[in-house]
Amino acid sequence: MPLIRFGVSIEKDLLGKFDCFIKDKKYTNRSEAFRDLIRQELVQKQWKGNHEIAGAITLIYNHHKRELVNKLMDIQHDFGTVIISAQHIHLDHDNCLEIIAIKGSPKDAQKLSNSLKSVKGVKHGTLSMSTTGKDI
Amino acid sequence: MPLIRFGVSIEKDLLGKFDCFIKDKKYTNRSEAFRDLIRQELVQKQWKGNHEIAGAITLIYNHHKRELVNKLMDIQHDFGTVIISAQHIHLDHDNCLEIIAIKGSPKDAQKLSNSLKSVKGVKHGTLSMSTTGKDI
Amino acid sequence: MPLIRFGVSIEKDLLGKFDCFIKDKKYTNRSEAFRDLIRQELVQKQWKGNHEIAGAITLIYNHHKRELVNKLMDIQHDFGTVIISAQHIHLDHDNCLEIIAIKGSPKDAQKLSNSLKSVKGVKHGTLSMSTTGKDI
Amino acid sequence: MPLIRFGVSIEKDLLGKFDCFIKDKKYTNRSEAFRDLIRQELVQKQWKGNHEIAGAITLIYNHHKRELVNKLMDIQHDFGTVIISAQHIHLDHDNCLEIIAIKGSPKDAQKLSNSLKSVKGVKHGTLSMSTTGKDI
């Protein structure tokens, strides 16, 4: 797609902070960083609305807790339509990292994430809110 | 481990908001929600310090951009010690969701995440900061 | 489901070999091993017919070969309906192990497997013929 | 690496079958197919010896059988050094496809595979014998 160039006015101070951010995040120029900020906004909007989204849920738990393992598996099968696949990593003899790839409605994704994270014995959980890449 | 019970004083207003949060996040009781808030703090501290951490990086990109695909692969091989494995999902004919499972130093993890996200053509990227489950 | 018990006549010699097989494969008894042999037959029949199947394709390749990486990605997007997700492991600085989870028609699965394995530069490839678990 | 060219004598009949095989497997020429046959032999030799290998184990099972799920998880944690990560796919409300990426000694890999496949309730299991790509 053709690039359109336009000027931006910005306070010296704020620009300084933006340039620090760019350097820290390893962007090669301001336009690239600016484009990413816009896209970040768009993705957040998709999650607030009804747009189909994609993302990932991470869970840390001790697999020796039987009830926990079975409950996590049941919840995942109940939300079958949102889950694409899961990656399971045995971190050590006790701890597991499970990463669940999701695609579907933002509402179902958040409901699934909340259900999994609130299971007793889950040590930590995160929800990565990303996008299917369409319309972005 | 034995549970210790203690009292907490809290403004009525704030407790109301906490109870909404609990309901929203599907916790069964206040103690469970409270324990999770503490663990959340501890995980954040691990990422700020030098503690070994675990987590996930998500990337959305169009695989038809050749240079992009090759660059992402090169960066991942350069950070081989931090990466456990990656999950690749073909969202549609153009868009890919890649989820990289990581374990190592917080510094390396963030450097890897920044390097990948700043590659031209990556539409969206997230870094899930989680834990190895040890000391938590 | 209720178990049905019935007798089997078998040459002493052949039974000896079967018992070695059982011990080697860690089965706890003859019935268990026998059930698995039957299921193995059924799965093979599903792959020869038109039954929906599941399985995995493994590929070993050097990711420094650009053309190869791009070609593998293109083929996978062309067979999007058969592929669920892929697991990518950076074995060392050069070699990658890619494991593609598949579900669909046996014909498409074999076509995909042949297409991927025949790409110049793929060092080794396998096709695990398994089942969706239905009707077995 | 430089290619060396040499002649091969072969019965007309056998060559005909080889050419069918090439067409079926989508190879672009005889040399490419021949190279793959040699590599296939080398990989088999690695699995019979003590060479470090890579590969994948697939399992199909009904996750509603609690004992089964817990047993599979325990065995995997006992063989932690051989397992890199696992991909878990919820095929339907009952059936799961689990694909375990492995790297290590051929003996451990086969022991792990046998232990998993013989767990009561596993409907089907396969072991893909591949290679780390070194020395091939």
Side-chain angles (χ1 to χ4, degrees), chain C residues 114-128:
Chain C
N114 286 342
S115 297
L116 290 170
K117 286 200 265 181
S118 69
V119 172
K120 201 180 160 170
V122 170
K123 292 183 174 184
H124 195 250
T126 70
L127 170 61
S128 290

Side-chain angles (χ1 to χ4, degrees), chain B residues 5-89:
Chain B
R5 217 179 148 68
F6 64 95
V8 173
S9 303
I10 191 166
E11 290 90 343
K12 205 187 153 187
D13 230 48
L14 194 59
L15 186 61
K17 280 172 194 159
F18 187 48
D19 284 342
C20 283
F21 164 85
I22 286 169
K23 209 183 144 192
D24 195 45
K25 298 284 182 186
K26 298 195 184 286
Y27 288 110
T28 45
N29 59 58
R30 288 178 185 157
S31 297
E32 187 61 27
F34 190 60
R35 283 197 294 270
D36 259 22
L37 286 184
I38 297 174
R39 279 189 291 239
Q40 184 64 41
E41 267 316 296
L42 293 174
V43 172
Q44 278 178 26
K45 219 178 133 192
Q46 289 184 346
W47 274 82
K48 279 173 197 150
N50 234 332
H51 201 282
E52 187 185 44
I53 51 75
I57 296 167
T58 72
L59 298 171
I60 303 288
Y61 59 86
N62 182 329
H63 78 101
H64 288 116
K65 308 206 170 180
R66 287 7 194 137
E67 257 319 293
L68 165 74
V69 173
N70 293 327
K71 216 163 175 186
L72 291 180
M73 187 92 71
D74 283 355
I75 293 171
Q76 289 185 50
H77 276 262
D78 284 346
F79 283 83
T81 50
V82 194
I83 298 173
I84 303 168
S85 72
Q87 205 174 348
H88 188 106
I89 289 131

Side-chain angles (χ1 to χ4, degrees), chain B residues 61 63-64 66 69-70 73-74 76-78 83-96, chain C residues 61 63-64 66 69-70 73-74 76-78 83-90 92-96:
Chain B
Y61 59 86
H63 78 101
H64 288 116
R66 287 7 194 137
V69 173
N70 293 327
M73 187 92 71
D74 283 355
Q76 289 185 50
H77 276 262
D78 284 346
I83 298 173
I84 303 168
S85 72
Q87 205 174 348
H88 188 106
I89 289 131
H90 307 290
L91 292 170
D92 57 42
H93 199 264
D94 299 314
N95 293 294
C96 299
Chain C
Y61 59 86
H63 77 102
H64 287 116
R66 285 10 192 138
V69 174
N70 292 328
M73 187 92 68
D74 283 354
Q76 291 185 50
H77 276 263
D78 285 346
I83 298 174
I84 303 168
S85 71
Q87 203 174 349
H88 188 106
I89 288 131
H90 307 290
D92 57 41
H93 199 266
D94 298 314
N95 292 295
C96 298

Side-chain angles (χ1 to χ4, degrees), chain A residues 58 124-126, chain B residues 40 43-44 47 53-56 110 127-131:
Chain A
T58 72
H124 195 250
T126 70
Chain B
Q40 184 64 41
V43 172
Q44 278 178 26
W47 274 82
I53 51 75
Q110 256 152 337
L127 170 60
S128 290
M129 300 186 179
S130 193
T131 165

Side-chain angles (χ1 to χ4, degrees), chain A:
Chain A
M1 236 173 290
L3 286 175
I4 291 165
R5 220 181 144 68
F6 63 96
V8 172
S9 301
I10 191 168
E11 291 90 341
K12 205 188 149 184
D13 230 49
L14 193 59
L15 185 61
K17 279 172 194 160
F18 188 48
D19 285 345
C20 283
F21 164 84
I22 287 168
K23 210 183 143 192
D24 194 44
K25 298 287 184 183
K26 298 197 185 287
Y27 288 110
T28 45
N29 59 58
R30 286 174 186 161
S31 298
E32 186 63 27
F34 191 59
R35 282 197 294 271
D36 259 23
L37 285 183
I38 297 173
R39 279 189 290 240
Q40 182 65 40
E41 267 316 297
L42 294 174
V43 172
Q44 280 178 22
K45 220 178 131 192
Q46 289 184 345
W47 275 82
K48 278 171 198 151
N50 234 333
H51 201 284
E52 187 186 44
I53 51 76
I57 296 167
T58 72
L59 298 171
I60 303 288
Y61 58 87
N62 182 330
H63 77 102
H64 287 116
K65 305 203 171 181
R66 291 354 198 147
E67 257 320 293
L68 166 73
V69 173
N70 293 329
K71 216 163 175 186
L72 292 180
M73 187 90 72
D74 283 355
I75 294 171
Q76 290 185 51
H77 276 262
D78 284 345
F79 283 83
T81 51
V82 194
I83 298 174
I84 304 168
S85 71
Q87 205 174 347
H88 188 106
I89 289 131
H90 307 291
L91 292 169
D92 57 41
H93 199 267
D94 299 314
N95 293 293
C96 299
L97 164 59
E98 193 151 326
I99 308 177
I100 303 162
I102 52 173
K103 186 180 154 191
S105 88
K107 228 171 149 177
D108 285 347
Q110 256 153 335
K111 227 167 125 185
L112 168 60
S113 171
N114 286 341
S115 296
L116 291 169
K117 285 200 266 182
S118 69
V119 172
K120 203 181 160 172
V122 171
K123 291 183 176 184
H124 195 250
T126 70
L127 169 61
S128 290
M129 299 184 180
S130 194
T131 166
T132 62
K134 280 178 202 156
D135 313 328
I136 277 197

